[in-house]
Amino acid sequence: MFIKSLLDSIRTTLKNGGIENFEFESVCIIEDVFKQNIYDMISAKLECLDCDERVAQCNVMAQRRIDGFPLQYILGKWEFYGLPFKVGEGVLIPRQDTETLVDYVLTMFKKDEALKMVDLCSGTGCIPISIEKHLNNVECHAIELSTIAYSYLLDNIALNSSKVVAHLKDVLEPSTAESFSSLDVITANPPYLTKHDMENLQKEVSYEPKISLFGGNDGLNYYREICKVWKPSLKVGGMIVFEIGQNQEKDVSNIMVENGFSNVAIIPDLCGINRVISGIAL
Protein backbone atom coordinates (compact mmCIF):
# COMPACT_ATOMS: atom_id res chain seq x y z
CA MET A 1 0.00 0.00 0.00
CA PHE A 2 1.28 3.47 -0.89
CA ILE A 3 0.76 6.39 1.51
CA LYS A 4 -1.62 7.95 -1.02
CA SER A 5 -3.84 4.87 -0.82
CA LEU A 6 -3.77 4.96 2.97
CA LEU A 7 -4.67 8.65 2.91
CA ASP A 8 -7.61 7.95 0.59
CA SER A 9 -8.78 5.17 2.90
CA ILE A 10 -8.63 7.24 6.08
CA ARG A 11 -10.23 10.19 4.31
CA THR A 12 -13.12 8.00 3.16
CA THR A 13 -13.56 6.52 6.64
CA LEU A 14 -13.78 9.96 8.24
CA LYS A 15 -16.04 11.38 5.53
CA ASN A 16 -18.46 8.46 5.76
CA GLY A 17 -18.36 8.78 9.55
CA GLY A 18 -19.66 12.35 9.34
CA ILE A 19 -16.42 14.21 10.11
CA GLU A 20 -16.83 17.63 8.52
CA ASN A 21 -13.12 18.46 8.21
CA PHE A 22 -12.16 14.97 7.02
CA GLU A 23 -9.45 16.16 4.61
CA PHE A 24 -7.45 17.98 7.31
CA GLU A 25 -8.00 15.37 9.99
CA SER A 26 -6.91 12.45 7.81
CA VAL A 27 -3.62 14.25 7.17
CA CYS A 28 -3.20 14.95 10.90
CA ILE A 29 -3.67 11.27 11.77
CA ILE A 30 -1.22 9.92 9.19
CA GLU A 31 1.44 12.53 9.91
CA ASP A 32 1.17 11.80 13.61
CA VAL A 33 1.67 8.06 13.12
CA PHE A 34 4.44 8.25 10.50
CA LYS A 35 6.13 11.39 11.91
CA GLN A 36 6.61 12.78 8.41
CA ASN A 37 5.01 15.42 6.22
CA ILE A 38 2.23 13.84 4.17
CA TYR A 39 3.19 15.61 0.94
CA ASP A 40 6.83 14.54 1.27
CA MET A 41 5.70 10.95 1.70
CA ILE A 42 3.34 11.14 -1.29
CA SER A 43 5.99 12.80 -3.48
CA ALA A 44 8.46 10.07 -2.58
CA LYS A 45 5.76 7.48 -3.32
CA LEU A 46 6.45 5.99 0.08
CA GLU A 47 5.19 2.46 0.39
CA CYS A 48 3.84 1.15 3.68
CA LEU A 49 6.10 -1.89 3.60
CA ASP A 50 6.32 -3.66 6.94
CA CYS A 51 3.99 -0.97 8.29
CA ASP A 52 1.03 -3.11 9.28
CA GLU A 53 1.10 -1.81 12.85
CA ARG A 54 1.15 1.82 11.76
CA VAL A 55 -1.62 1.29 9.21
CA ALA A 56 -3.68 -0.41 11.91
CA GLN A 57 -2.95 2.48 14.27
CA CYS A 58 -4.22 4.98 11.68
CA ASN A 59 -7.42 2.96 11.30
CA VAL A 60 -7.94 2.77 15.08
CA MET A 61 -7.45 6.54 15.39
CA ALA A 62 -9.92 7.17 12.57
CA GLN A 63 -12.50 4.92 14.23
CA ARG A 64 -12.09 6.72 17.57
CA ARG A 65 -12.63 9.99 15.75
CA ILE A 66 -15.90 8.93 14.10
CA ASP A 67 -17.01 7.64 17.50
CA GLY A 68 -16.84 11.29 18.62
CA PHE A 69 -13.52 11.39 20.47
CA PRO A 70 -11.78 14.78 19.92
CA LEU A 71 -8.96 14.77 17.38
CA GLN A 72 -6.75 16.73 19.78
CA TYR A 73 -7.04 14.03 22.45
CA ILE A 74 -6.35 11.31 19.88
CA LEU A 75 -3.16 13.07 18.76
CA GLY A 76 -2.16 14.00 22.31
CA LYS A 77 -0.98 17.45 21.27
CA TRP A 78 -2.21 20.57 19.57
CA GLU A 79 -0.75 23.83 18.30
CA PHE A 80 -1.76 27.15 19.81
CA TYR A 81 -0.26 30.49 18.81
CA GLY A 82 2.47 28.66 16.93
CA LEU A 83 3.51 26.63 19.99
CA PRO A 84 3.00 22.92 20.81
CA PHE A 85 0.81 21.90 23.74
CA LYS A 86 0.20 18.47 25.20
CA VAL A 87 -3.51 17.71 25.62
CA GLY A 88 -5.60 14.79 26.78
CA GLU A 89 -8.66 13.81 28.75
CA GLY A 90 -9.07 16.02 31.79
CA VAL A 91 -7.85 19.28 30.27
CA LEU A 92 -9.62 21.83 28.06
CA ILE A 93 -8.50 21.79 24.42
CA PRO A 94 -6.85 25.05 23.27
CA ARG A 95 -8.92 26.73 20.58
CA GLN A 96 -8.12 29.31 17.94
CA ASP A 97 -10.80 31.62 19.39
CA THR A 98 -8.63 32.05 22.49
CA GLU A 99 -5.75 33.38 20.38
CA THR A 100 -7.80 36.59 20.21
CA LEU A 101 -7.11 37.10 23.93
CA VAL A 102 -3.37 36.55 23.47
CA ASP A 103 -3.31 38.91 20.48
CA TYR A 104 -5.05 41.60 22.49
CA VAL A 105 -2.71 41.40 25.47
CA LEU A 106 0.36 41.49 23.24
CA THR A 107 -0.91 44.63 21.49
CA MET A 108 -1.49 46.38 24.82
CA PHE A 109 2.05 46.07 26.16
CA LYS A 110 5.50 46.74 24.76
CA LYS A 111 7.76 43.74 24.19
CA ASP A 112 10.34 44.86 26.79
CA GLU A 113 7.88 46.37 29.28
CA ALA A 114 8.19 45.05 32.84
CA LEU A 115 4.94 43.27 33.68
CA LYS A 116 3.53 41.15 36.47
CA MET A 117 0.75 38.85 35.24
CA VAL A 118 -1.50 36.07 36.51
CA ASP A 119 -3.56 33.73 34.34
CA LEU A 120 -6.58 32.11 36.01
CA CYS A 121 -8.14 28.73 35.14
CA SER A 122 -4.99 28.02 33.12
CA GLY A 123 -5.62 24.45 31.93
CA THR A 124 -2.90 23.58 29.40
CA GLY A 125 -1.25 26.94 30.04
CA CYS A 126 -1.75 28.03 26.44
CA ILE A 127 -2.56 31.64 27.38
CA PRO A 128 0.25 32.44 29.86
CA ILE A 129 2.90 30.43 28.01
CA SER A 130 2.08 32.09 24.68
CA ILE A 131 2.20 35.55 26.25
CA GLU A 132 5.39 34.84 28.21
CA LYS A 133 7.16 33.53 25.10
CA HIS A 134 6.39 36.75 23.21
CA LEU A 135 7.34 39.26 25.93
CA ASN A 136 10.84 39.77 27.26
CA ASN A 137 10.25 41.06 30.78
CA VAL A 138 7.11 39.48 32.22
CA GLU A 139 6.72 37.72 35.56
CA CYS A 140 3.97 35.28 34.70
CA HIS A 141 1.96 33.01 37.01
CA ALA A 142 -0.61 30.37 36.04
CA ILE A 143 -3.25 29.01 38.43
CA GLU A 144 -5.15 25.76 37.97
CA LEU A 145 -7.34 23.76 40.37
CA SER A 146 -7.64 20.38 38.62
CA THR A 147 -4.73 18.06 39.39
CA ILE A 148 -5.07 16.44 35.96
CA ALA A 149 -5.00 19.77 34.11
CA TYR A 150 -2.19 20.95 36.38
CA SER A 151 -0.01 18.05 35.22
CA TYR A 152 -0.54 19.20 31.62
CA LEU A 153 0.29 22.75 32.65
CA LEU A 154 3.62 21.61 34.10
CA ASP A 155 4.36 19.47 31.03
CA ASN A 156 3.67 22.36 28.67
CA ILE A 157 5.80 24.79 30.63
CA ALA A 158 8.67 22.33 30.26
CA LEU A 159 7.86 21.52 26.62
CA ASN A 160 8.06 25.20 25.67
CA SER A 161 10.99 26.08 27.96
CA SER A 162 8.71 28.66 29.53
CA LYS A 163 9.38 30.69 32.69
CA VAL A 164 5.70 30.63 33.73
CA VAL A 165 5.28 29.70 37.40
CA ALA A 166 2.46 27.19 38.01
CA HIS A 167 0.24 27.12 41.12
CA LEU A 168 -2.19 24.34 42.08
CA LYS A 169 -4.85 26.51 43.71
CA ASP A 170 -8.50 27.56 43.57
CA VAL A 171 -8.87 30.90 41.77
CA LEU A 172 -12.17 31.56 43.59
CA GLU A 173 -10.58 31.23 47.02
CA PRO A 174 -9.85 34.72 48.43
CA SER A 175 -6.56 33.57 49.96
CA THR A 176 -5.31 32.68 46.47
CA ALA A 177 -5.91 36.20 45.22
CA GLU A 178 -4.48 37.70 48.40
CA SER A 179 -1.14 36.04 47.69
CA PHE A 180 -0.69 38.33 44.67
CA SER A 181 -0.51 42.12 44.59
CA SER A 182 0.30 45.02 42.26
CA LEU A 183 -0.55 42.96 39.17
CA ASP A 184 -0.39 44.68 35.79
CA VAL A 185 -2.70 42.20 34.09
CA ILE A 186 -4.96 39.27 34.90
CA THR A 187 -6.10 36.97 32.10
CA ALA A 188 -8.72 34.24 32.26
CA ASN A 189 -10.65 31.88 30.03
CA PRO A 190 -13.04 30.71 32.75
CA PRO A 191 -15.86 28.17 32.46
CA TYR A 192 -18.73 30.07 30.84
CA LEU A 193 -21.23 27.56 29.43
CA THR A 194 -24.78 27.80 30.76
CA LYS A 195 -26.98 24.98 32.02
CA HIS A 196 -28.70 24.97 28.62
CA ASP A 197 -25.34 24.80 26.84
CA MET A 198 -24.26 21.83 28.95
CA GLU A 199 -27.46 19.96 28.09
CA ASN A 200 -26.81 20.46 24.38
CA LEU A 201 -23.08 19.86 24.01
CA GLN A 202 -21.62 18.60 20.75
CA LYS A 203 -20.52 15.01 21.23
CA GLU A 204 -16.79 15.75 21.03
CA VAL A 205 -17.06 18.63 23.51
CA SER A 206 -18.77 16.28 25.97
CA TYR A 207 -15.41 14.51 26.43
CA GLU A 208 -13.84 17.66 27.85
CA PRO A 209 -13.83 18.25 31.63
CA LYS A 210 -17.12 19.68 32.88
CA ILE A 211 -15.25 21.71 35.51
CA SER A 212 -13.64 23.66 32.66
CA LEU A 213 -16.92 24.25 30.83
CA PHE A 214 -19.81 24.89 33.22
CA GLY A 215 -20.10 28.45 34.50
CA GLY A 216 -23.34 28.08 36.44
CA ASN A 217 -26.94 28.28 35.28
CA ASP A 218 -26.36 31.55 33.44
CA GLY A 219 -22.67 30.91 32.69
CA LEU A 220 -21.53 33.97 34.64
CA ASN A 221 -20.49 32.61 38.05
CA TYR A 222 -16.75 32.85 37.45
CA TYR A 223 -16.94 36.39 36.09
CA ARG A 224 -18.81 37.54 39.20
CA GLU A 225 -16.40 35.90 41.63
CA ILE A 226 -13.17 36.71 39.80
CA CYS A 227 -14.02 40.39 39.44
CA LYS A 228 -14.86 40.61 43.14
CA VAL A 229 -12.04 38.49 44.53
CA TRP A 230 -9.20 39.53 42.23
CA LYS A 231 -9.67 43.27 41.74
CA PRO A 232 -7.67 44.14 44.91
CA SER A 233 -4.74 42.16 43.48
CA LEU A 234 -4.48 44.51 40.51
CA LYS A 235 -2.63 47.78 40.80
CA VAL A 236 -4.62 50.93 40.00
CA GLY A 237 -4.70 51.05 36.21
CA GLY A 238 -4.10 47.30 35.98
CA MET A 239 -6.04 45.34 33.39
CA ILE A 240 -8.27 42.28 33.54
CA VAL A 241 -8.89 40.40 30.28
CA PHE A 242 -11.50 37.65 29.89
CA GLU A 243 -12.55 35.31 27.14
CA ILE A 244 -16.36 35.28 27.02
CA GLY A 245 -19.06 33.15 25.47
CA GLN A 246 -21.27 34.28 22.61
CA ASN A 247 -23.67 37.09 23.61
CA GLN A 248 -22.19 37.44 27.11
CA GLU A 249 -20.51 40.79 26.50
CA LYS A 250 -23.30 42.93 27.99
CA ASP A 251 -23.66 40.88 31.17
CA VAL A 252 -19.91 40.58 31.76
CA SER A 253 -19.45 44.29 31.07
CA ASN A 254 -22.05 45.10 33.73
CA ILE A 255 -20.34 42.77 36.21
CA MET A 256 -17.01 44.48 35.58
CA VAL A 257 -18.41 47.98 36.01
CA GLU A 258 -20.22 46.97 39.20
CA ASN A 259 -16.91 45.76 40.61
CA GLY A 260 -14.94 48.90 39.90
CA PHE A 261 -13.56 48.40 36.40
CA SER A 262 -13.66 51.15 33.76
CA ASN A 263 -12.80 51.58 30.08
CA VAL A 264 -14.47 48.28 29.25
CA ALA A 265 -13.47 47.14 25.75
CA ILE A 266 -15.01 44.33 23.72
CA ILE A 267 -12.89 42.59 21.08
CA PRO A 268 -14.24 40.32 18.32
CA ASP A 269 -12.51 37.16 17.10
CA LEU A 270 -11.66 36.45 13.47
CA CYS A 271 -15.25 35.37 12.83
CA GLY A 272 -16.61 38.68 14.13
CA ILE A 273 -17.97 37.14 17.36
CA ASN A 274 -17.35 39.20 20.49
CA ARG A 275 -14.83 36.93 22.20
CA VAL A 276 -12.71 39.03 24.60
CA ILE A 277 -13.54 41.74 27.11
CA SER A 278 -11.15 43.87 29.14
CA GLY A 279 -11.38 46.49 31.84
CA ILE A 280 -9.12 48.78 33.87
CA ALA A 281 -9.04 48.68 37.68
CA LEU A 282 -9.94 52.01 39.27
Side-chain angles (χ1 to χ4, degrees), residues 192-204:
Y192 56 67
L193 296 189
T194 66
K195 183 175 183 291
H196 178 266
D197 293 333
M198 296 298 293
E199 292 170 347
N200 295 276
L201 287 177
Q202 293 179 318
K203 186 173 183 179
E204 63 184 52

Side-chain angles (χ1 to χ4, degrees), residues 173-275:
E173 176 59 49
S175 62
T176 302
E178 289 165 4
S179 64
F180 295 93
S181 62
S182 301
L183 295 173
D184 295 286
V185 59
I186 293 171
T187 57
N189 178 16
Y192 56 67
L193 296 189
T194 66
K195 183 175 183 291
H196 178 266
D197 293 333
M198 296 298 293
E199 292 170 347
N200 295 276
L201 287 177
Q202 293 179 318
K203 186 173 183 179
E204 63 184 52
V205 178
S206 69
Y207 286 94
E208 295 187 73
K210 305 300 184 290
I211 190 175
S212 301
L213 298 171
F214 184 48
N217 287 344
D218 64 358
L220 302 173
N221 286 1
Y222 277 78
Y223 300 105
R224 295 188 185 96
E225 292 302 309
I226 288 173
C227 285
K228 179 175 65 177
V229 170
W230 281 89
K231 181 178 176 291
S233 299
L234 283 164
K235 70 180 186 181
V236 175
M239 175 183 293
I240 192 165
V241 187
F242 288 116
E243 178 172 326
I244 57 175
Q246 196 164 355
N247 300 318
Q248 289 182 327
E249 61 270 21
K250 183 176 179 180
D251 289 329
V252 177
S253 177
N254 289 338
I255 289 169
M256 294 170 75
V257 171
E258 289 167 3
N259 283 277
F261 290 92
S262 66
N263 299 87
V264 175
I266 299 168
I267 301 92
D269 62 21
L270 292 175
C271 295
I273 296 170
N274 290 328
R275 183 65 60 188

